[in-house]
Amino acid sequence: TKAGYPHFMLKEIHEQPQGIRETLNRRLDENNQIMFDDINLDKSNIDSITNIYIIACGTAYNAGLQGKFALQKIAGIKADADIASEFRYSDPFIDENTLVILVSQSGETLDTLAALREAKSKGATTLAITNVIGSSIAREADNVIYTWAGPEIAVASTKAYTTQVVVFYMLALYLADIKENISKENYSHIVDELLAIPDKVQSIIETEEKIKKIAEKIKDNTNGFFLGRGLDYSIATEASLKMKEVAYMHTEAFASGELKHGTIALIEENVPVVAIATQDNLFEKSLSNIKEVKARGAYVIGVTQISNRTIEEVADEVIFIPETDDLIAGITAIVPLQLLAYYVSILRGLDVDKPRNLAKSVTVE
Ligand code: F6R
């Protein structure tokens, strides 16, 4: 049931603090050490991993983009994310030293399942991140880490996504620890920051009215853009997908650095541009990108951490997210943008839980 909410999507956005908390708690021992004891990877297996492929479709792929960032930055292992339907036909370089991670809320997506079979046949070690116990992908993968988002009913994925990203961070920490790539202090610091995420997500959800007002301003636009650099670009990709699928607004996610290489030609008077700028080391660059699109008439909605107040001088609207370690800011930054897509959809009078032409589980190619 919708438990008093008008739509499943809104209910599921609101369930994220709980889902994230559960996903963390299931895997932390009393000393806040990450437990993946059931995962069949010992130190020698882990040391021999030369590269990781993350394979998924749609939103799960977008979670994989954050996963790539986490695995490379924290565990120091080369990681790539690929779309399942592309991966299968790309003659991927896979051998016994490759770890292939399949991400799937349902655990039934056909292309992801086929990629899993292909990876196994080439001798890779496989690991599934899924929300459905006993699903096909969970059964066939060598190892499984479950997300504990609870059943996701709305076609658009929200709580599965954030819990998938949380799993990637735990996995990155776990691998980093075994590879002795991380100090005890840094490990505990990131775990503590992860444990603080549910309350931060809750506080973002409580700013819903403000996000609804922003949705009112952009609801009649036919096009929109999401900009970001590094981790923020992967968030832009997911935010753009949400807006397309539930609000039918044609949006694109651009890597900010690519603007000048062609895409800035699309910026015109009053077009909404959501500029995601959570990373301190890239903040000045993001500000100058905002100025570039502002100068061409864009209506800029900035998304940043609370300390970055200067963004108010250049953006038309700012969505502030609570301060967190930059490394994991993607988990919080997506939440207001899920809400933005939800409200644009509602204001347009669309069927937000069942967008046209879409199915919850895609078991055909
Ligand atoms: C978008 C969405 C889809 C799914 C994709 C993969 O909101 O829900 O893009 O993420 O179809 O589905 P799973 O995760 O079940 O493999």
Side-chain angles (χ1 to χ4, degrees):
T1 77
K2 294 182 199 154
Y5 287 95
H7 303 100
F8 282 111
M9 185 178 174
L10 188 63
K11 172 175 179 269
E12 290 164 5
I13 290 172
H14 279 247
E15 285 171 344
Q16 291 182 108
Q18 175 192 326
I20 294 169
R21 202 173 284 124
E22 186 70 10
T23 299
L24 287 166
N25 287 344
R26 294 261 182 172
R27 291 293 187 174
L28 288 173
D29 69 12
E30 62 281 5
N31 300 315
N32 283 348
Q33 296 293 301
I34 295 159
M35 301 179 292
F36 285 141
D37 311 349
D38 52 326
I39 303 291
N40 257 327
L41 288 173
D42 60 19
K43 180 160 168 55
S44 74
N45 300 132
I46 290 171
D47 282 337
S48 68
I49 298 172
T50 51
N51 67 313
I52 299 177
Y53 266 116
I54 303 161
I55 309 298
C57 303
T59 287
Y61 165 74
N62 292 338
L65 293 175
Q66 287 210 54
K68 167 189 161 88
F69 177 93
L71 290 164
Q72 292 200 158
K73 292 254 179 187
I74 299 173
I77 307 175
K78 179 181 181 304
D80 281 296
D82 204 354
I83 297 164
S85 56
E86 290 294 317
F87 172 83
R88 288 174 63 188
Y89 304 106
S90 67
D91 297 325
F93 284 81
I94 297 178
D95 60 22
E96 314 72 63
N97 298 325
T98 313
L99 173 64
V100 177
I101 303 178
L102 298 307
V103 194
S104 176
Q105 187 284 128
S106 63
E108 301 297 343
T109 300
L110 187 74
D111 277 315
T112 311
L113 181 59
L116 163 62
R117 289 175 180 160
E118 162 96 8
K120 279 179 86 170
S121 75
K122 291 193 163 173
T125 301
T126 57
L127 188 160
I129 299 176
T130 177
N131 199 40
V132 179
I133 296 175
S135 56
S136 303
I137 291 172
R139 278 186 279 115
E140 291 193 29
D142 301 318
N143 303 284
V144 188
I145 304 174
Y146 287 107
T147 48
W148 294 92
E152 197 180 59
I153 311 292
V155 164
S157 181
T158 54
K159 60 179 184 169
Y161 171 86
T162 42
T163 54
Q164 285 157 358
V165 177
V166 164
V167 166
F168 272 115
Y169 278 96
M170 284 196 284
L171 181 64
L173 285 169
Y174 178 80
L175 296 177
D177 186 40
I178 291 180
K179 288 174 72 74
E180 293 164 28
N181 267 351
I182 190 165
S183 69
K184 290 259 168 291
E185 295 71 34
N186 203 20
Y187 180 100
S188 310
H189 165 71
I190 301 173
V191 170
D192 289 345
E193 287 281 319
L194 285 169
L195 285 166
I197 290 284
D199 286 345
K200 292 177 185 176
V201 169
Q202 186 58 41
S203 75
I204 294 166
I205 290 171
E206 284 160 16
T207 65
E208 221 168 317
E209 280 307 310
K210 179 180 172 181
I211 294 161
K212 191 173 173 188
K213 290 205 177 84
I214 299 174
E216 268 158 16
K217 294 202 174 137
I218 66 170
K219 72 175 196 330
D220 296 322
N221 286 87
T222 42
N223 297 301
F225 301 101
F226 290 86
L227 299 184
R229 214 178 264 269
L231 184 66
D232 292 329
Y233 174 50
S234 62
I235 302 159
T237 307
E238 171 58 8
S240 174
L241 177 57
K242 286 284 97 70
M243 192 63 89
K244 282 183 268 212
E245 67 176 330
V246 301
Y248 313 157
M249 187 190 290
H250 179 219
T251 59
E252 295 294 336
F254 293 140
S256 311
E258 279 288 289
L259 265 180
K260 311 187 171 44
H261 299 285
T263 41
I264 199 164
L266 288 166
I267 306 295
E268 53 189 14
E269 204 56 43
N270 200 35
V271 70
V273 173
V274 178
I276 305 160
T278 63
Q279 307 291 298
D280 247 356
N281 63 332
L282 302 172
F283 188 69
E284 290 306 317
K285 286 201 163 92
S286 303
L287 279 188
S288 64
N289 292 134
I290 293 177
K291 287 177 192 156
E292 281 160 12
V293 296
K294 268 304 293 172
R296 286 154 183 91
Y299 178 72
V300 177
I301 302 155
V303 179
T304 190
Q305 304 196 45
I306 282 168
S307 61
N308 294 326
R309 287 268 162 208
T310 49
I311 198 169
E312 288 178 311
E313 293 160 21
V314 292
D316 296 282
E317 298 283 347
V318 182
I319 298 172
F320 285 109
I321 55 169
E323 213 55 35
T324 182
D325 192 301
D326 285 8
L327 256 183
I328 61 168
I331 313 170
T332 41
I334 191 62
V335 176
L337 302 175
Q338 296 168 337
L339 285 164
L340 188 65
Y342 171 80
Y343 280 112
V344 173
S345 173
I346 297 304
L347 291 165
R348 289 180 165 196
L350 303 175
D351 186 353
V352 71
D353 281 342
K354 285 201 177 66
R356 66 188 177 204
N357 312 338
L358 291 174
K360 182 66 182 162
S361 184
V362 183
T363 50
V364 291
E365 283 183 66

